[in-house]
């Protein structure tokens, strides 16, 4: 129970079988009290119902956790809502020790010439600016608590390499690399570590949509697309949610207390740098 007495906020964790849920469950299994945070409902065309965690599903996720959990609806594009989420963790559970920026848009994928200004802004606003708001809000509380803390961003293999139809997504994830490199320098003196986890493809609900999208782009079946993917991964399979969750748990543990400013690959060897 390495996280007993710790309180963890995980954004974008309100969908069943999603990456955020897996991270929350892994931390909860080790004793953390978790805050299941998601947008709660569609706000605009960039946040369709099929791709976000609604309040009812958030509650179901929280109730499925092995330990104590609460929910909080938060649009990470709004700094006031993000600060309110951080304040909720302290008010409801007495502390804020771990913050995981997991919320992201990975479903706006278009050829370069078809990407609109609104598309670009939506992805950057959630994936990069939303992570910045979370980091800032968490750091403020952690500094005031004077007991250190852990901040982890869920980046992507796209933080290291480019992909077609993913210009905004790739740019946003590359931006997280620079963000942790700078933030880790400033926060190190307070005992706060800041790191990225960079998974390759994970077939969650969003991952299933990506499989179908890119298989159609290439003119092949989803089955063939997945076979081709597995063939280029040294360990022979795409990632599982638990692979990323285990990496997050490590970075949040005392064993990783001397690791900060890093972008850790969790890619089965597909992404070597």
């Amino acid at each position: 129970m390495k996280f007993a007495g710790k309180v963890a906020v995980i954004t974008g964790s309100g969908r069943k079988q999603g990456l955020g849920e897996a991270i929350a469950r892994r931390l909860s299994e080790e004793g953390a009290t978790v805050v299941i945070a998601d947008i709660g409902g569609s706000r605009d065309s960039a946040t369709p119902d099929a791709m976000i965690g609604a309040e009812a599903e958030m509650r179901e996720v929280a109730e499925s956790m092995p330990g104590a959990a609460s929910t909080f609806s938060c649009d990470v594009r709004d700094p006031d809502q993000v600060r309110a989420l951080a304040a909720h963790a302290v008010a409801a559970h007495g502390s804020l020790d771990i913050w995981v920026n997991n919320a992201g848009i990975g479903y706006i994928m278009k050829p370069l010439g078809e990407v609109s200004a609104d598309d670009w802004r939506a992805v950057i606003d959630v994936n990069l600016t939303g992570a910045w708001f979370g980091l800032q809000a968490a750091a403020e509380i952690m500094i005031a608590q004077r007991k250190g803390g852990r901040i982890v961003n869920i980046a992507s293999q796209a933080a290291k390499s480019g992909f077609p139809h993913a210009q905004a997504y790739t740019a946003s994830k590359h931006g997280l690399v620079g963000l942790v490199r700078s933030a880790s320098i400033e926060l190190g003196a307070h005992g706060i570590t800041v790191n990225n986890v960079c998974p390759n493809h994970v077939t969650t609900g969003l991952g299933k949509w990506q499989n179908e999208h890119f298989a159609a782009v290439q003119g092949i079946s989803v089955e063939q697309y997945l076979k081709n993917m597995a063939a280029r991964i040294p360990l022979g399979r795409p990632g599982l949610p638990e692979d990323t969750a285990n990496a997050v748990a490590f970075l949040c543990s005392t064993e990783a207390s001397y690791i900060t400013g890093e972008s850790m690959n969790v890619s089965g060897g597909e992404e070597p740098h």
Side-chain angles (χ1 to χ4, degrees), residues 108-122:
I108 298 179
M109 302 284 184
K110 300 177 181 179
L112 181 68
E114 297 178 15
V115 177
S116 69
D118 287 343
D119 291 335
W120 177 270
R121 292 189 189 100

Side-chain angles (χ1 to χ4, degrees), residues 143-223:
I143 290 170
Q145 290 177 157
R146 303 176 66 85
K147 57 177 182 174
R150 300 285 186 268
I151 299 173
V152 179
N153 301 318
I154 305 306
S156 168
Q157 182 181 11
K160 307 289 186 73
S161 296
F163 295 89
H165 290 214
Q167 308 84 13
Y169 185 81
T170 301
S172 70
K173 297 301 186 178
H174 271 66
L176 292 176
V177 175
L179 178 59
V180 303
R181 286 176 176 171
S182 293
S184 62
I185 296 170
E186 294 190 48
L187 297 178
H190 301 283
I192 301 168
T193 65
V194 191
N195 293 288
N196 290 322
V197 173
C198 301
N200 62 347
H201 178 80
V202 182
T203 300
T204 57
L206 172 59
K208 182 176 182 293
W209 179 91
Q210 291 172 340
N211 294 341
E212 293 168 352
H213 173 81
F214 287 108
V217 167
Q218 296 176 27
I220 59 177
S221 67
V222 172
E223 292 74 17

